[in-house]
Amino acid sequence: MSNPAHRGAQHGRRGVRGVASSALLSTLLLSPSLGYSQTPALTFNTNVARPATQLPPFKLEQPDKQLSPFTGMTRKHWQDAAQYLLSGAFSYIHKLDDPMQFPKQPGKSYPRNEGQVPTEKLEGLCRTLFMAAPLLKENPGLTLNGIKVADYYRHQLGRLVDPSSDTYIKPRAANGGPSQNLVEFGGLSVALFAAPEILWDPLPEATKKTLAATMLSYGDGPTVPQNWRYFNIFILSFFKSRGYQVNEKLMEEYLQKQLTHYRGEGWYHDGPAYDYYSMWAFEMYGRLWTEYYGREHYPQVAQQLTTNFAPLKDNYPYMFGRDGSMIMWGRSIAYRFAAVVPFPLMGFQPEPGTNFGWMRRIASGAMLQFLQSPDFLQDNIPTLGFYGPFDPAVQSYSCRGSVFWLAKAFLGLLVPANSPFWTATENEGAWATKELAPGTVFNKYEPGSNILITDYPNSGAAEIRAWCHVPIIGAGEPFRGSENYNRLSYNSAFPWQADGPNGEVAMNYVFKNVKSEWEALRLFTFKRFEDGVYYRDAQLETDKNIRLSLADVPLPNGILRVDKYTGTVGTFVRLGHYALPQLGNQPIKHETRKVRGRQVHLISNGAYQLALVPLSGWEKVETVAAQGLHPVSNNSTVLDATAIVADGKPPIYATLMLWKKAGEKWTDNELVLVKKLAYSAQNNNVQVDFADGGKKTVQFN
């Protein structure tokens, strides 16, 4: 089931004091009609009344341990989960005119002025349809909070084009650019394709005509050169399927451009980053478009999309922990388990060789990771965060209703009940085979994207290393170089901690810059993956004379870092391990041991224990407590290695960053598994001798 560290967090994350940079959209993504500003008006509040009754925690009723021995979840339980979350949204609906609007979460999210409120309501409406449409397709009479759900959505579609309505959306102006309205109308088109007999066919002809004109004004227009093109494609495709005249030339152009983003192994490049948008946007939209429209009307494009989708079954599952836990990584992380949507969509046109029992075990496990967290819902609605509210991970383009992008997972319910995704018996896939045997480490390198996925059979955790090279000074989207992307690695067991103003850092380097501020690395250049070593170069954005050559060596219980300082100036540096959140009221324990002449620092929070062993270059290790920087708990602790780097000093900074589950014993060989390090300036390499007799050469180029 879900990670014990997550389940144990019985404390709220109210009033988080995050210190990550504000995430402001670039002008390309801003719509003047929405009134976005570069300085969020944080005092603006919509004052939405909270429901009188709070949803009880999600309960898995009558788990089926025959079909699903690990999670107990079947298709029926997925429907239960969708209805559970939809009932939370409908706790705000008392009559057909009530909008899908929820309490604003304090922090950087929108709305920040009155002009953004209609779009906020549009997000709530269109994104809740991701779970409502599949439910309505099988239960057209569904009623929640005394409201017939199908009647509500049809009524609200009419209000979108009623100028007297408080949810009215104006058609795009002739010179209007891309906006959030385009995003939501793209999502609405997915729901219309999925259940036209419920959502579209019964509408009055006048409503259909006006709604088509409004939606096409956005679809037949400019977009953002990334996953956004699918919003235009879906709008144009749906209305073409209903007999409307559409700009087919533009649709074909956008389709061809989407294909150019593919990089192999199931990954699309989202301009400029790799992240979950490859999965919950490119792959999901491509799969559904192929199913509902493309295979019939654009068979060549549909075939290419199908070919691009096929490698996912052999790659993407490894990016989830043994229990299905997903990695906190990338922007819009509040969308959470939307990341699993490719797994059920494999049930359309099933491909031979797909381990559907593993796919469903991952998807259900990731869903329970959040549904069973006590911090997941606030006021009956998922929070903007990872578990509870966590503003460092929020982008300014998100409102409270944005979280229902996570409901994309429930589009998997459109896959027929007799699909092998639903009928196969759950299993643990590669985790239960010799491929991921205890005592080993498993690396899956994906050369198209240069992504490295690592699985740790001893702990059941998954890890990812991926591209990040985005300057943030003066940038419109500083979140692209923030903790969302700039960590040295991301692990399913250890959600990322935000950086603090006093040098608090987890799984990255920070340096004192010329302004005497702590600055994290974010400009990484991938070099190669060779002989189990992932090589990158990095330099500080504000000072190109501060730079490193990085070498990551995944090990059965953690990571060996062998990094070379190649800079020419001296300054203070800190390197952080993963961070541990405090669970409940038990303080995090710290211990220091002397093992084979090495100082070993350990911390434990009752779920996991971390060990940091400095091997070369480091002068001191500090145990750093932090407040308001962690997505699981207000209090957290990290082990940081510190030093002063300078030209002329020994350049190698080597560190063991290890972990185990709490209570497991360490052997000396596990804690100090490096016997000797030998740096050769002439050969520009480091020879590593391991305690078990193994050897490895870290070759810097």
Side-chain angles (χ1 to χ4, degrees):
M1 302 290 282
S2 59
N3 185 309
H6 306 152
R7 293 199 307 268
Q10 299 293 332
H11 35 70
R13 286 209 43 89
R14 311 298 180 242
V16 170
R17 301 188 302 278
V19 295
S21 300
S22 294
L24 301 176
L25 291 171
S26 68
T27 53
L28 182 63
L29 292 174
L30 304 186
S31 167
S33 65
L34 296 186
Y36 282 95
S37 63
Q38 289 296 306
T39 304
L42 300 180
T43 56
F44 181 80
N45 198 321
T46 51
N47 297 312
V48 174
R50 288 163 168 79
T53 304
Q54 298 299 304
L55 280 182
F58 177 74
K59 185 178 180 182
L60 197 62
E61 300 285 354
Q62 297 180 318
D64 186 340
K65 291 296 186 175
Q66 293 289 118
L67 185 63
S68 302
F70 296 98
T71 69
M73 289 192 79
T74 64
R75 190 171 187 271
K76 172 62 166 62
H77 296 103
W78 277 50
Q79 292 173 321
D80 291 345
Q83 185 164 323
Y84 170 79
L85 291 172
L86 189 61
S87 70
F90 267 80
S91 68
Y92 290 84
I93 307 304
H94 306 284
K95 57 185 185 301
L96 293 181
D97 277 351
D98 289 343
M100 274 291 176
Q101 186 183 25
F102 315 111
K104 179 173 162 37
Q105 184 171 303
K108 64 173 76 82
S109 64
Y110 93 93
R112 292 179 288 277
N113 59 59
E114 199 64 42
Q116 296 174 340
V117 171
T119 296
E120 175 203 14
K121 296 174 180 177
L122 181 66
E123 285 210 45
L125 181 74
C126 296
R127 297 190 180 200
T128 54
L129 268 169
F130 289 143
M131 50 195 167
L135 293 175
L136 289 170
K137 199 165 181 66
E138 297 187 37
N139 180 13
L142 178 64
T143 300
L144 295 173
N145 200 27
I147 302 291
K148 286 189 176 295
V149 173
D151 289 351
Y152 173 78
Y153 282 106
R154 288 192 294 264
H155 181 75
Q156 287 293 321
L157 292 179
R159 296 186 84 234
L160 291 179
V161 293
D162 178 358
S164 67
S165 164
D166 63 339
T167 56
Y168 174 64
I169 301 296
K170 296 178 181 178
R172 182 181 66 88
N175 61 348
S179 70
Q180 194 67 40
N181 292 342
L182 168 63
V183 178
E184 305 317 318
F185 281 140
L188 175 57
S189 299
V190 172
L192 295 177
F193 256 130
E197 70 282 9
I198 304 290
L199 300 170
W200 178 259
D201 295 344
L203 293 177
E205 287 303 316
T207 300
K208 290 181 180 178
K209 182 178 179 181
T210 311
L211 189 58
T214 296
M215 292 176 67
L216 284 170
S217 74
Y218 290 91
D220 183 7
T223 192
V224 181
Q226 43 167 254
N227 73 84
W228 279 48
R229 294 192 190 100
Y230 269 117
F231 309 138
N232 304 71
I233 290 166
F234 258 91
I235 294 169
L236 295 168
S237 297
F238 176 74
F239 286 105
K240 176 64 178 177
S241 76
R242 313 310 286 189
Y244 290 81
Q245 290 291 320
V246 306
N247 188 343
E248 292 185 70
K249 183 179 178 182
L250 183 66
M251 179 164 64
E252 291 165 6
E253 175 191 334
Y254 285 166
L255 284 167
Q256 292 301 323
K257 286 182 175 178
Q258 290 303 73
L259 293 175
T260 67
H261 286 254
Y262 188 65
R263 295 294 185 271
E265 297 87 42
W267 287 98
Y268 287 83
H269 187 259
D270 195 35
Y274 294 99
D275 50 34
Y276 287 118
Y277 277 87
S278 184
M279 304 304 168
W280 60 38
F282 280 97
E283 289 289 20
M284 188 213 78
Y285 287 120
R287 191 69 164 177
L288 289 175
W289 179 84
T290 294
E291 187 69 22
Y292 288 122
Y293 190 78
R295 192 177 293 115
E296 179 180 352
H297 299 281
Y298 291 92
Q300 287 183 315
V301 176
Q303 182 54 53
Q304 187 59 57
L305 291 170
T306 300
T307 299
N308 295 350
F309 185 88
L312 283 179
K313 68 181 177 62
D314 300 315
N315 295 285
Y316 194 45
Y318 291 86
M319 215 177 110
F320 294 78
R322 184 167 190 158
D323 63 358
S325 292
M326 65 174 286
I327 297 170
M328 183 183 180
W329 167 60
R331 68 187 178 101
S332 303
I333 197 61
Y335 301 165
R336 301 168 171 102
F337 56 78
V340 307
V341 67
F343 297 127
L345 295 186
M346 292 176 188
F348 284 132
Q349 308 292 317
E351 185 173 320
T354 305
N355 185 343
F356 281 103
W358 189 22
M359 303 303 111
R360 194 176 77 254
R361 190 271 176 274
I362 294 170
S364 296
M367 196 174 289
L368 292 176
Q369 175 183 355
F370 300 98
L371 285 171
Q372 294 184 336
S373 166
D375 296 333
F376 178 51
L377 298 187
Q378 191 177 99
D379 303 316
N380 295 350
I381 302 298
T383 61
L384 285 167
F386 195 58
Y387 293 103
F390 188 56
D391 209 47
V394 176
Q395 283 72 60
S396 64
Y397 55 73
S398 290
C399 67
R400 190 63 181 280
S402 299
V403 296
F404 284 110
W405 186 288
L406 60 79
K408 284 185 170 186
F410 298 116
L411 293 172
L413 290 168
L414 298 170
V415 173
N418 63 357
S419 161
F421 178 80
W422 299 116
T423 60
T425 301
E426 271 187 357
N427 64 76
E428 293 187 302
W431 294 97
T433 70
K434 292 181 180 179
E435 185 178 45
L436 270 65
T440 66
V441 63
F442 178 82
N443 290 311
K444 182 174 280 288
Y445 173 64
E446 304 188 345
S449 59
N450 297 323
I451 285 174
L452 178 66
I453 296 172
T454 302
D455 291 322
Y456 296 94
N458 284 357
S459 64
E463 195 170 66
I464 188 170
R465 291 164 177 82
W467 179 93
C468 180
H469 192 106
V470 181
I472 69 172
I473 297 171
E477 295 182 327
F479 57 80
R480 293 193 181 276
S482 74
E483 299 93 327
N484 296 276
Y485 296 96
N486 72 14
R487 305 295 86 172
L488 295 167
S489 56
Y490 294 85
N491 191 292
S492 63
F494 310 112
W496 61 257
Q497 174 175 289
D499 295 339
N502 301 312
E504 303 96 326
V505 63
M507 201 43 70
N508 201 357
Y509 280 92
V510 289
F511 293 85
K512 270 287 181 72
N513 62 22
V514 292
K515 293 184 178 180
S516 201
E517 298 170 339
W518 290 103
E519 180 180 338
L521 291 178
R522 49 186 170 264
L523 302 182
F524 297 90
T525 302
F526 173 78
K527 305 299 286 187
R528 69 193 189 282
F529 178 67
E530 181 179 87
D531 189 29
V533 186
Y534 192 76
Y535 294 94
R536 290 170 286 186
D537 288 343
Q539 72 176 45
L540 205 65
E541 180 181 354
T542 62
D543 191 343
K544 65 181 181 181
N545 295 311
I546 296 176
R547 54 186 184 268
L548 290 165
S549 290
L550 307 171
D552 300 39
V553 186
L555 304 166
N557 291 312
I559 304 162
L560 167 63
R561 298 208 58 80
V562 183
D563 300 330
K564 180 182 177 182
Y565 184 65
T566 57
T568 58
V569 299
T571 188
F572 293 94
V573 61
R574 303 169 69 91
L575 169 66
H577 199 333
Y578 288 120
L580 286 183
Q582 179 178 311
L583 303 179
N585 297 317
Q586 294 300 314
I588 291 173
K589 297 177 181 178
H590 175 240
E591 178 189 354
T592 303
R593 300 182 194 173
K594 196 86 166 183
V595 180
R596 292 177 176 161
R598 299 283 187 185
Q599 202 76 6
V600 178
H601 297 260
L602 300 105
I603 56 175
S604 175
N605 68 349
Y608 284 97
Q609 51 183 323
L610 303 178
L612 190 146
V613 187
L615 300 174
S616 174
W618 298 107
E619 299 165 11
K620 188 170 61 171
V621 172
E622 297 177 348
T623 304
V624 180
Q627 288 78 43
L629 301 181
H630 201 281
V632 174
S633 171
N634 192 56
N635 297 303
S636 58
T637 300
V638 64
L639 294 167
D640 285 355
T642 70
I644 298 175
V645 295
D647 192 18
K649 291 182 67 174
I652 301 302
Y653 290 81
T655 324
L656 285 166
M657 306 169 117
L658 309 172
W659 57 82
K660 279 193 174 189
K661 292 183 178 178
E664 294 182 357
K665 301 295 185 183
W666 294 93
T667 66
D668 288 354
N669 270 2
E670 289 172 332
L671 283 174
V672 184
L673 68 167
V674 172
K675 185 177 180 181
K676 181 182 177 183
L677 291 168
Y679 169 62
S680 169
Q682 181 179 353
N683 297 322
N684 197 22
N685 66 21
V686 177
Q687 297 291 331
V688 183
D689 292 350
F690 291 98
D692 64 1
K695 296 179 182 292
K696 186 174 289 289
T697 300
V698 174
Q699 182 65 59
F700 298 109
N701 288 336

